[in-house]
Amino acid sequence: MADIIDPLMPPYRFERVQPQLYRGGYPKPRNFRFLRRQRLKTIVSLIPDDRDNMLTDFCHSEGIRRIVISVESPNDNVTVTDAIVSRCLELVTNPDTMPLYLHCLDGSNVTGVVIMCLRKLQLWRVASLQSEYLRFEQDGEIIPEESEFVEAYSGRGLVLPNPYVEWLWPGRVAADASALPFKNNVHPVVPHTRLKQRMSTDICQPDPRLVQSRSTTDLPSRESVESSM
């Protein structure tokens, strides 16, 4: 008799948001085989606490970086803050964290608010980002507090990676690698968004004065380097 293979079961409300970016509910052991197939590099958990070690052990065994951000369960209110949303957006737009799975307890309200803010950053129309949110909302509605939070979110504290993921603003290319691809370097609807400054490669180059004054076998001490600068 052939061995019975466990079925591939995605987490509750699992969905692809963008290439290599996924969302859903809290993964259970039955979902691990499915998640393994996604070759995840990062899992971001937006949860009240982390008493279940099974997911942590799974991430450790698979070499997945797990980031836990404390967020209370919503109860007719919004429990994420601007700082939490900005931190999440920095993670989900960083090519180095991909593929990434973003989840809360049920894959609905908390994750949904973060994704709405991502869509706002992507310049989606309000009707479109709300329509996507409602696909994962069991009550079929957006409470006023959620709409007001997303409307008010302006990217305060948000520093995007440099470079960011290619799908963020398709068709927009910044002339300067250290500038946002928008007029006057200001995002039209999330104006406080900034781009991380790229470190100049010049500082990695050796001081030519030192190179000229030494042979390949005559390495200067730290004191001589500092005194020559």
Side-chain angles (χ1 to χ4, degrees):
M1 181 177 179
D3 293 336
I4 298 177
I5 301 177
D6 292 335
L8 293 172
M9 297 181 62
Y12 187 46
R13 292 194 173 106
F14 180 89
E15 185 73 25
R16 190 186 85 150
V17 179
Q18 291 286 171
Q20 297 193 322
L21 173 59
Y22 309 96
R23 61 171 290 175
Y26 195 103
K28 304 296 185 181
R30 61 178 177 268
N31 308 132
F32 291 169
R33 184 166 175 263
F34 175 86
L35 291 178
R36 188 177 293 114
R37 291 291 188 94
Q38 312 312 311
R39 302 182 183 277
L40 297 174
K41 187 180 292 185
T42 311
I43 291 181
V44 179
S45 302
L46 305 175
I47 56 178
D49 52 37
D50 188 31
R51 299 177 183 176
D52 183 0
N53 293 326
M54 289 186 289
L55 180 57
T56 298
D57 293 342
F58 168 75
C59 291
H60 180 74
S61 65
E62 297 297 321
I64 299 172
R65 179 190 181 195
R66 187 177 181 215
I67 301 172
V68 179
I69 300 175
S70 179
V71 179
E72 293 300 320
S73 299
N75 183 19
D76 294 332
N77 60 356
V78 177
T79 54
V80 295
T81 63
D82 282 15
I84 289 175
V85 170
S86 293
R87 173 59 175 154
C88 289
L89 296 188
E90 290 170 12
L91 291 168
V92 304
T93 57
N94 189 341
D96 293 337
T97 67
M98 300 296 166
L100 182 147
Y101 179 57
L102 174 74
H103 77 88
C104 54
L105 292 177
D106 62 1
S108 180
N109 300 79
V110 175
T111 301
V113 168
V114 173
I115 296 301
M116 279 200 290
C117 291
L118 171 63
R119 297 312 193 188
K120 182 178 181 179
L121 183 66
Q122 291 182 275
L123 298 174
W124 279 34
R125 295 180 182 274
V126 173
S128 297
L129 63 86
Q130 290 185 347
S131 177
E132 180 184 44
Y133 175 91
L134 291 174
R135 288 170 45 207
F136 303 91
E137 173 50 52
Q138 59 185 0
D139 295 330
E141 65 177 2
I142 301 176
I143 62 174
E145 289 82 0
E146 292 169 337
S147 296
E148 292 168 3
F149 178 88
V150 175
E151 182 180 357
Y153 179 71
S154 62
R156 194 172 300 278
L158 175 58
V159 183
L160 294 175
N162 189 1
Y164 45 77
V165 288
E166 294 181 355
W167 48 257
L168 186 57
W169 297 304
R172 293 178 181 268
V173 180
D176 182 355
S178 296
L180 293 175
F182 300 103
K183 185 177 180 180
N184 298 325
N185 200 27
V186 178
H187 192 286
V189 293
V190 192
H192 292 288
T193 302
R194 294 184 294 122
L195 192 64
K196 183 177 181 181
Q197 292 296 317
R198 301 185 71 176
M199 185 176 293
S200 172
T201 55
D202 294 339
I203 66 174
C204 300
Q205 302 299 321
D207 189 329
R209 293 170 297 177
L210 298 178
V211 175
Q212 295 175 1
S213 64
R214 72 183 183 185
S215 66
T216 56
T217 58
D218 184 18
L219 298 180
S221 65
R222 179 179 178 180
E223 290 75 11
S224 66
V225 172
E226 294 175 347
S227 63
S228 65
M229 296 179 66

